[in-house]
Amino acid sequence: MLDKVFTNNQVTIAGEVVSEFVFSHEVYGEHFYVVNIAVCRLSNSYDIIPVMVSDRLLDVKNDYRGCILQATGQFRSYNRHEESKNRLVLSVFAREVAILDSEGENEEQNPNQIFLDGFVCKKPVYRKTPLGREIADVLLAVNRPYGKSDYIPCICWGRNARFADQFEVGSHIQLWGRIQSREYQKKISEEEFEKRVAYEVSVSKLELMEDEEE
């Protein structure tokens, strides 16, 4: 049952561990920790991606910095209450993890792949950059068991952006891509800004599903 449900949200990712494990929360005696990994892009830049790991999967007391951690699981979201507002927090929820040899690090050995099957929950926002590049932002609701959903920000480019601009709220879509991190400045006051990191799925392939009428 659970394995079938989770086929709508599949992630495989690997990268260099760049932080220690930080306690996140406890569920029925199981403790969950977050660790950041640096995942290489083709451009030789890096995305810093948070991975949620149970202490039943790995000895979280060890310092794995400099090692390669590979995880398979789902891309999860939850709302964290901050200063009278809710902030969407995203991380890879690991179901399996392994520590790999760090020799010969590259994108082929260190995958960053995600597949999502879900429903558009806000009208996509289509725009063009000053250089004429087409972009569309899509917020996807991906169902979880027990009536829960994950809300995943996705970004489309070029012809995928034009395609996404046609979607309506409630459209059923499938997409393939990679998880990326993006720094931005959050305005705290008139003179004060805070550096934050947003996470999103960079879409490489996109399909609109024709659901059968009930």
Side-chain angles (χ1 to χ4, degrees):
M1 163 68 177
L2 286 179
D3 286 342
K4 185 176 180 183
V5 170
F6 282 127
T7 58
N8 65 353
N9 185 340
Q10 300 177 55
V11 176
T12 300
I13 196 166
E16 180 183 342
V17 178
V18 293
S19 76
E20 295 181 317
F21 283 86
V22 176
F23 177 73
S24 171
H25 64 282
E26 177 186 351
V27 180
Y28 301 121
E30 187 172 4
H31 298 84
F32 293 89
Y33 292 75
V34 174
V35 66
N36 290 329
I37 63 173
V39 185
C40 188
R41 291 192 191 186
L42 282 175
S43 60
N44 287 329
S45 58
Y46 288 84
D47 291 297
I48 307 298
I49 308 297
V51 181
M52 184 90 64
V53 181
S54 165
D55 62 354
R56 298 179 185 179
L57 293 177
L58 201 65
D59 184 356
V60 296
K61 296 185 180 68
N62 281 349
D63 187 348
Y64 295 97
R65 283 177 291 187
C67 298
I68 301 298
L69 183 143
Q70 178 168 304
T72 57
Q74 291 84 42
F75 201 28
R76 296 274 187 91
S77 73
Y78 72 94
N79 278 314
R80 185 163 66 200
H81 196 65
E82 290 185 357
E83 301 168 3
S84 77
K85 289 183 179 179
N86 283 329
R87 182 180 170 200
L88 192 68
V89 179
L90 295 141
S91 63
V92 173
F93 182 85
R95 296 203 155 268
E96 296 179 12
V97 295
I99 300 297
L100 308 179
D101 188 347
S102 62
E103 291 298 314
E105 183 186 355
N106 60 46
E107 191 174 36
E108 287 186 5
Q109 289 180 315
N110 294 356
N112 181 351
Q113 302 162 350
I114 183 168
F115 165 76
L116 297 174
D117 180 329
F119 299 87
V120 176
C121 53
K122 283 174 64 177
K123 177 64 183 168
V125 178
Y126 172 87
R127 64 193 189 280
K128 283 188 178 182
T129 68
L131 295 176
R133 194 171 191 195
E134 297 171 287
I135 302 174
D137 296 309
V138 178
L139 187 63
L140 198 65
V142 180
N143 292 334
R144 242 200 263 173
Y146 313 115
K148 295 184 178 180
S149 296
D150 292 296
Y151 295 92
I152 312 296
C154 305
I155 187 164
C156 305
W157 312 88
R159 60 188 178 87
N160 281 336
R162 291 194 297 275
F163 184 37
D165 189 37
Q166 305 169 31
F167 298 161
E168 301 294 335
V169 174
S171 293
H172 180 193
I173 64 173
Q174 291 183 346
L175 60 83
W176 294 256
R178 69 190 311 282
I179 300 171
Q180 66 182 24
S181 60
R182 174 174 52 82
E183 289 189 353
Y184 68 99
Q185 298 290 330
K186 171 76 173 179
K187 190 173 184 179
I188 306 299
S189 64
E190 286 301 316
E191 299 179 353
E192 190 178 2
F193 290 83
E194 182 179 276
K195 187 172 77 171
R196 290 190 174 178
V197 181
Y199 304 99
E200 59 204 2
V201 173
S202 179
V203 177
S204 58
K205 183 182 175 186
L206 188 61
E207 291 184 2
L208 179 63
M209 308 305 293
E210 299 293 340
D211 291 338
E212 295 180 3
E213 295 291 334
E214 294 185 2

